């Protein structure tokens, strides 16, 4: 199978960029012929370049032209689009459809229905634009606190809603979780085209049976991640949490008695910390997409204490693969931390079940097979649509 991947990289490399890189490597290992076209937000540096990107966001003709030039040369069976904002746009799907290519879109976040892509406002979940007008984002300056920037994103969302891009031009859409699929359906995306397929993770190897100790947080130190709730919960539980990551709250959290801030660490060091922790803590206040730290913890046989919100409530089975706590509630989170650290045998049993879930759902072999099935489905759908046109019926 010949697969052309298109992805608009972020200025600060993050989870989506890593997920695309893992998919490319997995497809190559599966024997596919793979080529990638990357557009890079690092090129948007000046005020003029930001203005040009904002104006072009609904269609982004230059980015589309780059992808289509690669498609003409590479002749793919399917074009797989990941992030499209702002240098590519959902308009790539209409161009690909017109040229006869099957297309797939992975919905890593909520950008096609929410200006800030998080379904979050003022520190809490917000679904005003799910079924309502995307221009409400302008009122609240949802995109980076800028009304002008919010208008640019809202125009893109509105344009493709009205144009029917998601119903007409895309053969298959990939949601990372059942929760995300439900939100996209609520926003009017066609349920029959949406498949659930999580991002895959190469197997780090079987966990060791040695003793575990300590709690671990891995992620950005920012308000939506719930790290201030974690800090208070750690104090209440009399626990100390190892914290790996950077972000705007790092200075405010420095010296907190319940947190041991390590900053950013290499991937192998993170895996080592994950493998010896009693549990990983994910205290997010927002819906999350598919936090790969959960998959990494499960692969390491480490249970997860997470907020009972959005996708997290479905990823972690309370009492089976970890514990759930009310989002933003330090008392409830402290109770969960105390329960999991106070019952090493129970935590170990949860860790074993977490590893089994990883092997069933997130192992690279499993997710690659699922992705190839989605590609075949998309190719068949495109061929079926094209058949009447070829026969003149």
């Amino acid at each position: 199978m010949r697969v052309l991947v298109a992805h608009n990289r972020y200025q600060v490399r993050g989870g989506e960029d890593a997920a695309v890189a893992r998919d490319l490597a997995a497809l190559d290992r599966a024997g596919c012929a793979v080529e990638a076209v990357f557009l890079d937000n690092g090129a948007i540096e000046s005020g003029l370049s930001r203005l040009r990107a904002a104006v072009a966001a609904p269609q982004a003709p230059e980015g589309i032209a780059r992808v289509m030039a690669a498609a003409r040369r590479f002749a793919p069976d399917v074009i797989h689009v990941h992030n499209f904002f702002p240098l590519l746009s959902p308009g790539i799907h209409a161009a690909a459809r017109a040229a006869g290519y099957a297309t797939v879109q992975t919905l890593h976040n909520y950008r096609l229905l929410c200006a800030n892509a998080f379904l979050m406002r003022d520190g809490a979940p917000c679904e005003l634009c799910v079924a309502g007008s995307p221009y409400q984002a302008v009122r609240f300056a949802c995109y980076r606190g800028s009304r002008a920037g919010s208008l640019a994103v809202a125009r893109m969302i509105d344009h493709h809603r009205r144009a029917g891009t998601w119903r007409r031009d895309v053969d298959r859409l990939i949601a990372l979780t059942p929760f995300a699929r439900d939100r996209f359906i609520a926003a009017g995306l066609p349920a029959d085209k949406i498949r659930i397929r999580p991002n895959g993770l190469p197997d780090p190897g079987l966990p060791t049976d040695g003793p575990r100790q300590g709690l671990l947080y891995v992620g950005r130190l920012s308000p939506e991640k719930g790290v201030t709730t974690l800090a208070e919960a750690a104090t209440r539980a009399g626990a100390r949490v190892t914290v790996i990551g950077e972000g705007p709250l790092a200075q405010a959290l420095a010296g907190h008695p319940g947190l041991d801030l390590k900053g950013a660490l290499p991937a192998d060091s993170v895996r080592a910390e994950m493998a010896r922790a009693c549990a990983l803590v994910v205290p997010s206040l927002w819906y999350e997409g598919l936090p790969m730290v959960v998959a990494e913890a499960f692969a390491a046989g480490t249970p997860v204490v997470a907020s009972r919100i959005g996708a997290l409530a479905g990823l972690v089975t309370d009492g089976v693969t970890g514990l759930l706590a009310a989002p933003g509630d330090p008392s409830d989170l402290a109770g969960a931390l105390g329960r999991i650290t106070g019952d090493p045998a129970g935590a170990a049993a949860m860790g074993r079940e977490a590893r089994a879930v990883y092997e069933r759902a997130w192992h690279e072999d499993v997710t690659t097979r699922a992705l190839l099935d989605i590609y075949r489905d998309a190719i068949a759908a495109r061929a079926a649509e094209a058949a009447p046109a070829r026969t003149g019926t």
Side-chain angles (χ1 to χ4, degrees):
M1 189 182 298
R2 300 178 68 78
V3 183
L4 180 65
V5 171
H7 177 56
N8 192 152
R9 284 171 167 158
Y10 291 82
Q11 286 182 324
V12 178
R13 297 290 183 261
E16 289 183 36
D17 297 308
V20 173
R22 285 193 297 269
D23 270 0
L24 288 169
L27 289 169
D28 181 67
R29 284 191 286 270
C32 296
V34 188
E35 184 164 320
V37 178
F38 292 112
L39 298 98
D40 201 319
N41 284 351
I44 307 174
E45 297 176 336
S46 66
L48 178 59
S49 62
R50 285 193 293 271
L51 177 61
R52 288 182 61 195
V55 171
Q59 287 294 347
E62 292 182 11
I64 291 174
R66 279 188 57 190
V67 175
M68 294 310 298
R72 287 189 294 272
R73 176 178 47 77
F74 182 65
D77 297 303
V78 62
I79 297 176
H80 185 173
V81 181
H82 289 269
N83 180 43
F84 52 71
F85 181 77
L87 299 176
L88 185 53
S89 97
I92 180 58
H93 292 289
R97 178 175 180 267
Y101 300 114
T103 70
V104 171
Q105 171 73 58
T106 292
L107 305 168
H108 288 282
N109 56 45
Y110 298 101
R111 179 77 70 196
L112 59 84
L113 52 95
C114 171
N116 65 26
F118 299 146
L119 289 182
M120 183 177 187
R121 179 171 57 84
D122 296 334
C126 172
E127 297 194 13
L128 281 177
C129 296
V130 170
S133 168
Y135 290 104
Q136 294 174 100
V138 182
R139 172 187 173 193
F140 297 108
C142 291
Y143 182 73
R144 299 187 177 183
S146 165
R147 285 192 168 86
S150 300
L151 177 60
V153 187
R155 284 179 61 240
M156 179 193 71
I157 295 170
D158 185 53
H159 173 83
H160 290 286
R161 275 187 183 178
R162 293 177 183 275
T165 296
W166 308 112
R167 289 187 172 275
R168 183 191 63 243
D169 297 330
V170 186
D171 294 295
R172 291 296 177 263
L173 297 147
I174 298 176
L176 302 182
T177 66
F179 176 84
R181 182 178 188 271
D182 289 345
R183 294 301 83 218
F184 290 118
I185 292 172
L189 271 68
D192 61 320
K193 289 189 174 185
I194 304 177
R195 303 291 182 267
I196 298 170
R197 180 259 179 185
N199 296 324
L201 185 70
D203 193 342
L206 290 172
T208 60
D209 292 328
R212 302 285 192 109
Q213 62 178 3
L215 298 164
L216 177 67
Y217 170 88
V218 180
R220 182 169 167 77
L221 306 184
S222 53
E224 75 278 2
K225 293 293 188 177
V227 287
T228 54
T229 301
L230 174 60
E232 187 173 345
T235 299
R236 293 190 183 196
R240 190 164 177 81
V241 182
T242 298
V243 175
I244 299 174
E246 298 175 324
L249 294 180
Q251 186 172 355
L253 295 171
H256 191 281
L259 306 179
D260 182 11
L261 272 62
K262 299 290 189 181
L265 293 180
D268 56 348
S269 297
V270 176
R271 284 192 293 270
E273 292 284 353
M274 196 88 73
R276 56 177 166 256
C278 169
L280 176 78
V281 190
V282 186
S284 295
L285 305 180
W286 72 292
Y287 286 157
E288 294 280 1
L290 179 65
M292 289 307 290
V293 289
V294 175
E296 290 163 2
F298 281 18
T302 304
V304 175
V305 178
S307 296
R308 188 182 290 104
I309 186 172
L312 288 172
L315 296 175
V316 177
T317 303
D318 196 28
V320 179
T321 57
L323 298 174
L324 295 172
D329 186 335
S331 178
D332 199 29
L333 181 57
L337 299 182
R339 288 196 301 278
I340 207 158
T341 55
D343 182 11
M350 291 181 194
R352 288 191 293 273
E353 183 56 34
R355 170 68 192 191
V357 170
Y358 160 74
E359 292 176 355
R360 291 195 303 268
W362 282 331
H363 192 287
E364 182 185 276
D365 292 348
V366 175
T367 58
T368 303
R369 285 196 298 270
L371 183 56
L372 291 173
D373 285 344
I374 292 170
Y375 288 165
R376 294 185 189 102
D377 200 15
I379 292 165
R382 172 61 54 221
E385 182 179 303
R390 287 197 300 268
T391 61
T393 59

